[in-house]
Amino acid sequence: MTTGLHPGEAPQDPRPTENQPLPRQEAGRWSSHDENRTRSSVITARAAASFDPVSRSVATARSFVRDTLQGWGFADIVDDAVVLTSELVTNAVVHAGTSADVLCLRAEDGVRIEVADRYPEREIPLQGSHINMGSPDREGGRGLQLCAAMASRWGVEYTSTHKQVWFQLDLPDRPVGTRSAGPSLPADLLPLADGRVRVAVVQIDRSGAIGAWNEDAEELFGYAPDHVIGKPLTDLAAWPHTPGTSTGVAEALQLSRWEGSYGIRGANGRVTPVYASHLRVRDTAGDPSTVCLLVRDHERAVLQTPARVPTGDSSGEGQATDPFEVFIGSPAPDDLDGLLQRTVERARDMLDGDSAFLLLATDDETELEVRASTGLPSARQRFARVPVEAGPGRYGSARMPAVHDDLTAVPGAVPLLNGTGMRSVVTVPLKVEGRLTGSLGVAAEAQGRYSNEEALRLQFAADRIALAVESARLGELERLRRGSLSFLVEASDLLAGTLDRDQTLALMAQMTIPTLATWCAVYTIADQASEPYLSYVLHEDEDLIDGLKALLSKIRPPEPIPTPGARVWTAPAEAAHQAALRTSMRSLGLGEPATVSSGIGTTLATASAVGGETVVLPLVARNRVIGMLTLGKPTDEHFRQEILELAEDLSRRAALALDNARLYSERMAISQSLQRSLLPPELPDIDGVEVEVIYRAAGEGNEVGGDFYDIFPIRDGAYGFAIGDVCGTGPEAAAVTGLARHALRLLAREGYAGPAVLERLNSAIIDEGARSRFLTLLYGELWPQEDGSAVLKVVCAGHPLPLRLRQDGTVEPAAEPQALLGVMEDLELYEQTVTLDPGDVLLCVTDGVTERREGTRMLGDDGLTDVLTTCTGLTAGAVAARVMRAVERFASDAPSDDMAILAMRVPGLQQD
């Protein structure tokens, strides 16, 4: 891949000047002249890259586009750009089989990305003709459909040398640098704070390290300044990684302004939810840094920038302004959390309550999901679910306003308030066009605080805000789905890139942490009769992995139920709670002492880590449950429905990848076992002759090679040896290899001479019919002599000729070529007698050695002879090793064919 980046420079057209472009197609229209790329926009930067026509280039192209756009500050459109680029580059490098050129152009209002391939031989639509972009169910051809659905503008260009598809994504229409202020309010309408508001001031330098840490930061998180200054903020920040709804901590620190929620790990190991406001500044020397203001999450109103109040004619006297509407204002269209939080805080203040909460309805309107609260443990309640119909009657449904004077008289009427000490509550529905979209409630610790009058006031406020809430919710859902699509594209690519079972398990867990969950465990099932086995455990805090693994090992695994979807599993949280309770009692001397204890700190940390909601998703592949993916949250946290749906999509892809890895491992094990069965288990010791064999199988080990060798005793003082090569690889070649090796031993021990052995083997191969394969074979018989020499009788049936190395360094063929086996029925073979004198070497190889290539060069018989001439005086083992080393160094690429080397040397009587 080649890339180039030129900030602030006008882009140069990458097409050859001599090639005039054919008419350009833009979003289904044709124009006869070449338009400017961005019309009135000014190009401020460009980045270009070229990708080879191999499948891994698709992932590399996605990374290139993602890195480029994030570097330009275009995080809002990164996910859409990655998805579109992935489809277009796939069409080029996979379906068209050509290299792809990707060009990114930055403008003030967005970005344009061009993907060009070198496959112009396609039908060019005529002007005004209907353009068929194909079926969405096809494996390829979805690129143009996605462009039409997601891009602001797109088009296609053809030239005589290449085809180019381009698309443009505009930045959201969002005011930059605007300022606003809330209205003047009486003191009794201001937000309530539980006590002193501590604002932690943390300054982060350009490398991401902490440079300043004030007293409030020390009080909030427990770290003294000298313990944290110089450390990266990433060591302390527990950053949310929900796809499509947030950026990473490194990206947030690079933005000029940023507001949002995350967590800080304190000195006690617990995560404190905080609301932060980041401001990017620079000193007089020009060195940039980021100033972070942090408060506890439930005190976010202290830092949160108020939204602009819509301008209008409000100067008329006697015109009352609803304080609820003024305080809420007009929030940014994508600030759902801010809108909800301001709503509950204002509702609490408006009715002088002690707490307030807002829930959003699921798509089927059967459950309500807690999204914001004040005066309640928001960190615990966030994303918890309660039924819409909590009980019989009018007051048990969230679809109608309800006032409860005393919750102790009707326990469970408002499940969210159980155990909170709240006695009276008023709840009203949020509806859009008659459809339930949520519920807003205000509660107080005293009984009888609310009447129908307060319910009407709250309902009026809910009606005013319902449409804005629904619009922001739909916008968040759309961003989440687009981010999920990008996440699944990259996850599928990673899972498809390996066939190793252990690596697949690791990828499954690493992709879910921390994007989908805080911790993850993968159970695998070997077969239907086996129990689930805990195969992999991962937690976002590495220090908790061992404790989590020990806890899960002690509880019974979840049942392997094939029902799709996530189901809640309470066993880990219950076991963690019991373990923490026992440890605490032992520390107080109230329980039985433990012989082995991990310490109260570890146990309590583990209990906190798995104390939230835990869900199990089945891993189903080929109609069989092969495992389970378990996802968990820390204490009292819950999963969002959108995250569970994304996890379900991921589990389906992961299950197929895991099953493919299992099948591949089984196939490779079978192939390796079969390959070992086709080779002799060990070499015999031959008095007076040194023997050495080197065998190298090509490929990844999942194909059985066609090369084989054998050395075996025939009778007293006589030994047979063979080296051969069956055409092709795989089961068919393995069948011929097994037939040849076992037939040679059987026929030789029956007393047949070499030619007769090969002629009968040739008949047996031809009798295999369509399954037969031709075979090159060098077969010989060896007789060591008392004078230190050795006599050989050799038949070379179509095989590379054996080479004889004499003591004086001369090399000569030791046999003549004859017809190969498995082609003709009637063969007339003959054997040749060779005498090896003391110090002589006989080298036999398969064609994988002589046909070793580097470009147009080939080692050949002459190259092998040159290597052998340098082996005078070496042992048989040294000769074989030098030949193999020369073959491997001849080319930089891995060998593409199996190789077998058989070296025999007669040392002579003087070495006995």
Side-chain angles (χ1 to χ4, degrees):
M1 182 188 80
T2 59
T3 63
L5 179 62
H6 311 283
E9 159 182 316
Q12 301 297 323
D13 195 333
R15 296 168 297 180
T17 56
E18 65 270 17
N19 294 326
Q20 297 298 324
L22 294 173
R24 169 186 298 182
Q25 176 190 355
E26 179 185 339
R29 297 185 296 107
W30 286 88
S31 59
S32 59
H33 61 282
D34 193 13
E35 299 177 296
N36 292 328
R37 280 192 172 90
T38 58
R39 298 196 178 184
S40 61
S41 299
V42 177
I43 302 301
T44 58
R46 68 189 297 267
S50 297
F51 302 93
D52 296 331
V54 292
S55 59
R56 65 176 179 270
S57 293
V58 180
T60 309
R62 285 199 298 266
S63 299
F64 164 70
V65 171
R66 181 180 295 278
D67 294 343
T68 299
L69 267 60
Q70 286 181 343
W72 289 347
F74 288 173
D76 291 335
I77 57 176
V78 163
D79 290 326
D80 290 357
V82 167
V83 171
L84 293 177
T85 303
S86 179
E87 285 292 333
L88 298 179
V89 174
T90 299
N91 290 341
V93 304
V94 176
H95 301 304
T98 78
S99 59
D101 298 327
V102 179
L103 176 64
C104 301
L105 302 174
R106 183 183 70 183
E108 297 175 352
D109 56 349
V111 66
R112 170 179 169 133
I113 297 179
E114 302 175 355
V115 179
D117 63 51
R118 293 170 175 79
Y119 188 72
E121 296 86 3
R122 304 183 186 180
E123 180 182 356
I124 301 177
L126 298 177
Q127 184 175 5
S129 63
H130 176 69
I131 303 170
N132 181 15
M133 293 185 289
S135 168
D137 298 327
R138 292 176 52 195
E139 178 64 23
R142 295 188 296 263
L144 298 184
Q145 290 181 322
L146 286 176
C147 287
M150 301 172 66
S152 304
R153 294 171 56 225
W154 64 277
V156 183
E157 297 177 3
Y158 294 90
T159 74
S160 60
T161 58
H162 70 271
K163 179 182 72 69
Q164 176 179 282
V165 180
W166 61 271
F167 61 89
Q168 181 171 321
L169 297 173
D170 294 338
L171 290 176
D173 187 11
R174 184 175 303 162
V176 178
T178 57
R179 301 291 182 268
S180 62
S184 299
L185 296 175
D188 57 351
L189 293 181
L190 295 175
L192 294 176
D194 297 335
R196 176 188 171 187
V197 177
R198 295 189 179 275
V199 181
V201 181
V202 183
Q203 191 161 9
I204 313 299
D205 63 21
R206 69 191 316 164
S207 66
I210 298 172
W213 186 267
N214 73 339
E215 293 181 0
D216 278 359
E218 181 178 358
E219 182 67 26
L220 283 173
F221 311 122
Y223 298 107
D226 56 345
H227 289 167
V228 293
I229 290 179
K231 292 185 177 180
L233 179 64
T234 53
D235 290 353
L236 306 181
W239 199 263
H241 287 273
T242 304
T245 61
S246 64
T247 55
V249 59
E251 292 81 1
L253 292 175
Q254 297 300 317
L255 299 176
S256 60
R257 284 186 180 274
W258 184 90
E259 283 188 24
S261 299
Y262 54 92
I264 297 291
R265 294 186 182 89
N268 59 1
R270 297 187 177 182
V271 175
T272 301
V274 298
Y275 192 82
S277 176
H278 295 179
L279 175 64
R280 187 82 163 159
V281 298
R282 61 187 174 92
D283 58 21
T284 54
D287 194 22
S289 62
T290 302
V291 177
C292 306
L293 306 179
L294 302 93
V295 297
R296 293 184 179 92
D297 190 64
H298 64 273
E299 295 170 337
R300 62 171 61 191
V302 177
L303 295 184
Q304 196 158 39
T305 302
R308 284 188 303 172
V309 179
T311 58
D313 186 11
S314 58
S315 60
E317 295 184 3
Q319 194 173 31
T321 303
D322 179 25
F324 186 89
E325 183 179 1
V326 170
F327 189 86
I328 296 302
S330 298
D334 59 349
D335 187 16
L336 176 62
D337 288 338
L339 172 61
L340 300 183
Q341 191 63 34
R342 289 197 295 275
T343 299
V344 295
E345 290 169 355
R346 185 65 192 96
R348 179 190 64 176
D349 298 339
M350 185 176 67
L351 297 187
D352 193 21
D354 296 311
S355 64
F357 52 89
L358 194 150
L359 305 90
L360 295 184
T362 55
D363 292 338
D364 56 5
E365 297 183 18
T366 60
E367 290 182 307
L368 295 167
E369 188 177 61
V370 180
R371 291 301 302 269
S373 65
T374 183
L376 296 174
S378 58
R380 285 188 319 197
Q381 304 294 346
R382 188 167 172 80
F383 302 123
R385 291 195 166 197
V386 296
V388 170
E389 309 294 340
R394 176 177 181 272
Y395 294 105
S397 173
R399 302 181 188 276
M400 299 292 292
V403 177
H404 293 279
D405 291 331
D406 191 355
L407 289 176
T408 59
V410 281
V414 183
L416 180 63
L417 300 180
N418 292 343
T420 62
M422 300 296 162
R423 295 287 298 274
S424 57
V425 62
V426 53
T427 61
V428 296
L430 275 71
K431 293 185 177 180
V432 176
E433 297 180 350
R435 181 173 58 87
L436 179 69
T437 60
S439 177
L440 176 63
V442 178
E445 295 179 354
Q447 62 179 354
R449 286 280 297 276
Y450 302 114
S451 63
N452 289 339
E453 181 180 352
E454 282 80 7
L456 289 175
R457 290 181 62 197
L458 190 61
Q459 184 66 71
F460 177 76
D463 293 341
R464 304 288 294 260
I465 202 67
L467 185 59
V469 169
E470 180 67 2
S471 177
R473 187 188 72 86
L474 293 176
E476 180 192 70
L477 184 60
E478 179 65 19
R479 290 190 301 276
L480 179 62
R481 287 176 175 170
R482 291 196 177 191
S484 300
L485 179 60
S486 176
F487 172 78
L488 290 174
V489 166
E490 297 191 16
S492 300
D493 189 69
L494 287 173
L495 291 171
T498 178
L499 288 172
D500 182 81
R501 177 182 176 275
D502 293 337
Q503 189 174 359
T504 302
L505 289 172
L507 284 174
M508 290 170 57
Q510 291 167 5
M511 286 185 295
T512 59
I513 308 300
T515 304
L516 305 181
T518 304
W519 63 270
C520 168
V522 182
Y523 292 85
T524 56
I525 303 175
D527 52 61
Q528 297 293 342
S530 301
E531 288 290 325
Y533 174 74
L534 183 61
S535 299
Y536 201 90
V537 176
L538 186 64
H539 193 283
E540 66 177 5
D541 187 347
E542 295 183 357
D543 295 336
L544 299 179
I545 293 178
D546 292 338
L548 178 59
K549 185 181 299 183
L551 177 69
L552 295 177
S553 301
K554 295 177 182 178
I555 62 178
R556 183 176 180 81
E559 292 295 328
I561 301 175
T563 306
R567 69 180 191 275
V568 177
W569 185 34
T570 60
E574 294 172 355
H577 175 73
Q578 293 298 325
L581 181 61
R582 288 193 298 269
T583 302
S584 300
M585 293 180 65
R586 283 197 298 269
S587 67
L588 298 174
L590 301 178
E592 297 181 359
T595 56
V596 179
S597 176
S598 60
I600 185 172
T602 303
T603 303
L604 293 178
T606 303
S608 177
V610 301
E613 189 175 43
T614 301
V615 297
V616 178
L617 297 106
L619 299 175
V620 181
R622 299 175 176 89
N623 299 320
R624 186 174 73 87
V625 180
I626 64 172
M628 288 159 291
L629 178 65
T630 303
L631 305 177
K633 287 281 190 179
T635 301
D636 293 324
E637 288 195 17
H638 299 266
F639 286 96
R640 297 185 60 178
Q641 182 62 26
E642 294 83 359
I643 295 297
L644 293 180
E645 293 173 357
L646 179 58
E648 186 177 356
D649 285 340
L650 177 63
S651 67
R652 287 194 290 266
R653 290 164 169 79
L656 188 59
L658 183 61
D659 199 47
N660 288 339
R662 177 188 63 82
L663 294 174
Y664 179 82
S665 299
E666 292 178 356
R667 178 182 177 186
M668 186 166 62
I670 293 172
S671 299
Q672 291 175 346
S673 177
L674 179 58
Q675 185 73 71
R676 288 193 297 269
S677 70
L678 300 178
L679 301 175
E682 57 184 11
L683 300 177
D685 294 328
I686 303 177
D687 293 336
V689 179
E690 298 175 358
V691 178
E692 182 65 30
V693 175
I694 297 178
Y695 181 84
R696 294 285 188 274
E700 300 180 358
N702 61 338
E703 287 288 350
V704 182
D707 291 9
F708 71 95
Y709 65 89
D710 199 3
I711 302 177
F712 56 90
I714 300 176
R715 48 189 175 272
D716 292 342
Y719 297 85
F721 66 91
I723 183 170
D725 184 3
V726 178
C727 174
T729 59
E732 294 82 2
V736 177
T737 301
L739 171 65
R741 194 171 79 84
H742 295 294
L744 288 175
R745 288 194 173 211
L746 178 64
L747 294 172
R749 288 171 177 171
E750 288 295 322
Y752 290 100
V757 169
L758 267 62
E759 289 169 1
R760 285 165 172 76
L761 175 60
N762 179 66
S763 299
I765 295 174
I766 293 178
D767 288 343
E768 291 291 310
R771 297 180 299 175
S772 65
R773 297 289 186 94
F774 66 80
L775 166 68
T776 68
L777 180 65
L778 172 65
Y779 174 75
E781 296 180 357
L782 169 68
W783 288 272
Q785 304 298 308
E786 295 181 357
D787 60 357
S789 63
V791 176
L792 295 83
K793 293 184 178 180
V794 182
V795 181
C796 186
H799 199 77
L801 299 179
L803 300 178
R804 175 182 181 180
L805 171 64
R806 296 183 180 272
Q807 281 188 310
D808 59 2
T810 59
V811 176
E812 61 184 7
E816 297 176 353
Q818 301 183 59
L820 52 79
L821 308 181
V823 178
M824 298 179 294
E825 294 186 1
D826 297 327
L827 292 180
E828 295 183 1
L829 302 176
Y830 58 91
E831 61 185 8
Q832 296 172 270
T833 302
V834 179
T835 300
L836 296 182
D837 297 326
D840 288 356
V841 175
L842 185 71
L843 178 66
C844 311
V845 300
T846 57
D847 59 6
V849 173
T850 56
E851 295 179 2
R852 177 71 163 147
R853 293 181 179 274
E854 171 71 16
T856 59
R857 298 186 308 122
M858 186 172 70
L859 180 64
D861 295 333
D862 293 339
L864 182 61
T865 300
D866 294 339
V867 175
L868 189 58
T869 56
T870 66
C871 298
T872 304
L874 300 181
T875 64
V879 171
R882 178 170 291 186
V883 172
M884 177 57 72
R885 187 163 55 250
V887 172
E888 291 175 342
R889 292 178 176 177
F890 185 80
S892 58
D893 296 337
S896 59
D897 195 4
D898 301 332
M899 294 185 291
I901 299 174
L902 170 61
M904 294 184 290
R905 179 177 181 270
V906 180
L909 293 176
Q910 66 274 16
Q911 296 188 11
D912 293 341

